[in-house]
Amino acid sequence: MLSLRGKDLVCQQAVELVTEYLEGSLSRRNRRRFEAHLRACPNCSAYLEQIRVTIRLTGTVEPEDLTPEARADISELYRRWRSE
């Protein structure tokens, strides 16, 4: 987990917390700080919305929608990730 010091989040910290925010795993304090940052930062708010759209759209992709090259690329990325 990201170490959060100080009162306000900076954009880099907010970006690093997006996954935890969407999964609901932030502490109440960090969730409040994250949401306060979003209210003041249109760029991070837009980034969060882009991630939400990406998650929603990738949930609709079927294996047959992908080219053989795309399937191979995804499989290779997964293999590399698992080996790390």
Side-chain angles (χ1 to χ4, degrees):
M1 174 158 191
L2 177 67
S3 174
L4 300 175
R5 294 194 174 116
K7 183 179 176 190
D8 298 326
L9 295 179
V10 296
C11 293
Q12 181 179 350
Q13 291 171 315
V15 167
E16 292 175 14
L17 293 173
V18 165
T19 300
E20 291 175 68
Y21 178 76
L22 291 172
E23 291 175 347
S25 62
L26 287 177
S27 68
R28 252 185 281 177
R29 178 177 181 265
N30 286 338
R31 183 177 187 85
R32 283 193 307 268
R33 291 173 69 201
F34 182 83
E35 289 172 344
H37 180 83
L38 290 177
R39 285 191 296 276
C41 183
N43 293 328
C44 287
S45 295
Y47 177 74
L48 175 62
E49 184 56 28
Q50 289 170 349
I51 296 299
R52 285 181 168 148
V53 168
T54 300
I55 291 168
R56 186 173 61 249
L57 292 176
T58 55
T60 64
V61 175
E62 298 294 329
E64 54 273 1
D65 295 336
L66 301 173
T67 65
E69 294 83 13
R71 284 195 301 269
D73 288 346
I74 291 169
S75 295
E76 177 58 27
L77 283 170
Y78 179 75
R79 277 191 287 280
R80 276 192 270 153
W81 173 77
R82 291 286 298 177
S83 69
E84 291 179 359

